[in-house]
Amino acid sequence: MPTSALIRQVLLNKFTPHQRSPLIRSLACCERSLQYLRARPSLVASSASAGQQVARSRWEEGKAAPTNAASMDSMDESNMACRLVINSHFDSGNIEVVDSSDPSNIQLRIHEDPFCETDGRAHFQWFHYRLTGARDLDLTMNMVNAGKASFAHAWTGYNACASYDRRHWFRVPTSYDESSGALSIQHKPEQDAVYYAYFAPYSYERHQDLIAKSTSSKQVRLEVLGETLDGHDIDLLQIGDAGKGKKRVWIIARQHPGESMAEWFVEGFLDRLLDSHSALARHALQKAVFYVVPNMNPDGSWRGHLRTNAAGANLNREWTKPSLETSPEVYHVRNKMDSVGLDMLLDIHGDEELPYNFINGNEGIPCWGERLAKLQKIFVESFKKASPDFQSQHGYAIDEPNQANLNICGHAIGDRFKTLSLTLEMPFKDTIENPEPVQGWSPGRTKSFGASVLNPIVDVIPSLDG
């Protein structure tokens, strides 16, 4: 067990909840700093020039920021206008440079999330970094530890995302070698700086913009449910007013922070729900009040994690017994659900392997029966009509009766409130039915897909009484 996990266990055993909460928060901050410090010594390649080594020493002494610029002295100066620099020290950034001395064989590593007790491993797969100084160079970037990633089998058929302006993201040729466990990204940048990511990032800054834009509507109230271990707000948007006979529809997203498409989906949904010109949106707000948590895991999102929060908790395995010490995000959201009630839940996710949009239903929860089966069918059939990007033929295996994992949000909430509770999955790759070769599954398509989910929600609301 990692040292940090042992320390956390001691805190849980020796201190009261009031005493240990600030201590665990401090531990999370230390873990974040150590993760950064472990990466930086390797960010200056072994072939770095004397000047770069001095810069590294100055950083280690606390006198300067780190550099990860590899020396390109071995290249002809006519072919290289500036140094090759790879950096991920920004919101949701994640990469470690092993060796960047040869642009045709750049070697990188993806950082791990903190160790996850429930999953028995430290997850990793999300990457996000900027590369500067490679205009018109043929690059090959090898993720040397990709074979040990959380979903290594999902690399097959995947193409990495790239962007020059952080707005338009496109796919670049990517291949996976099972024998070596390396993921190789090939690209010839047309500009001096280019960003690469596992999927188009949804930054914390954009999250703040989404909250600000949404609360400019008179239909929206913002409530901060609590604070994460890193000190981020847990934001809840209430759209519409609660009232007699109105259904309470919950949408939460991004329990797994690397699944950034989930928040793009929510943005598209909110754009439509708050469109004053949309008759369907006005109708929906007459029939229901909506509770939306656009980002369940802001700590993991900021840190560049794939699956966990600052404490290493997989939030989608915390719904039976959430705690302020390890999963305050789930603790506060579930308490709010209990307080205001819930008639329907959509939990938005992304799937690393499957090239489909699909829902994971609740056939395996103890209270499953004809009523829940009917509600699920209404939703699925309506969604297929609303969006050609949604299908029901492919997805996860259906749980046997009473065999659902009730630590998972969709199952736990479905059984807790005896109502329709679905997990919606989207691809990191693209949809087979409607492929788009330039961007694959993208922010624009995800937002459009999020807007379309209002149709099945409206169609199922009248049956939630049954």
Side-chain angles (χ1 to χ4, degrees), residues 325-343:
E325 292 75 26
T326 58
S327 51
E329 303 90 345
V330 176
Y331 180 90
H332 289 299
V333 170
R334 198 187 72 168
N335 281 352
K336 186 65 176 181
M337 290 175 174
D338 287 341
S339 174
V340 303
L342 181 149
D343 295 299

Side-chain angles (χ1 to χ4, degrees), residues 206-217:
R206 190 176 184 101
H207 168 81
Q208 299 285 11
D209 289 341
L210 176 64
I211 298 299
K213 177 183 177 182
S214 298
T215 53
S216 67
S217 168

Side-chain angles (χ1 to χ4, degrees), residues 33 84 102 104 167 289 311 322 350 357-358 375 403:
S33 298
L84 184 66
D102 180 0
S104 67
R167 292 181 177 86
V289 55
N357 290 302
F358 60 95
L375 292 175
Q403 296 302 307

